Amino acid sequence: EFITQITMELEHDFLSNKANKTDFINAKIDELFIKLHRSCNNDDSFVAETTTQAVFRDLRSTVFSTLKEPWTVERMAKQVNLSPSRFHSLYKKIFGKSPVEDLIHARIQNAQNALLYSNSSISEIARSVGFSDPYYFSRLFKKEVGIAPAEYRKQG
């Protein structure tokens, strides 16, 4: 809507006999680009400031170093004094994936290493990376990696 309006104003200024029509046209073009930029960068594409990013990186580091802990979005949000929904939104904007997706990915990566470099059972590995149900772990592992944990271990 604003593009059409500005384009019509540009056309009007271009066809006019105003003394400073070039200045008016340049101002309208600037306005067009500013409005386009703002429409592309509305509140939904908010980029957190550096201090917020640092807080989130620290929390992520803590979570990744304690994967066995029962981490939930609510617990993580509480750690940074945000509501779960606001936390989820900012986390996804900063890291490109939801906190749950990121946590599962980290747990599966850790499990991949354990499967290759330890003799622990699949159930023990599942528990060591924060899954209380080895069947749920196996389903998520297969979804993430493409093969079951036992097959992954054999191929390694």
Side-chain angles (χ1 to χ4, degrees), residues 62-119:
T62 299
V63 169
F64 285 7
S65 65
T66 57
L67 290 173
K68 190 175 183 175
E69 292 289 317
W71 290 103
T72 62
V73 171
E74 291 76 17
R75 182 177 174 196
M76 289 184 256
K78 190 174 183 180
Q79 294 281 322
V80 294
N81 297 316
L82 291 172
S83 71
S85 61
R86 182 70 176 145
F87 172 79
H88 185 277
S89 174
L90 287 173
Y91 193 99
K92 192 164 187 170
K93 295 209 183 314
I94 293 169
F95 298 114
K97 56 177 85 172
S98 78
V100 172
E101 291 169 336
D102 205 20
L103 177 61
I104 288 171
H105 182 75
R107 285 176 168 166
I108 297 299
Q109 279 189 318
N110 201 287
Q112 285 177 285
N113 287 334
L115 285 165
L116 294 176
Y117 302 111
S118 81
N119 293 324

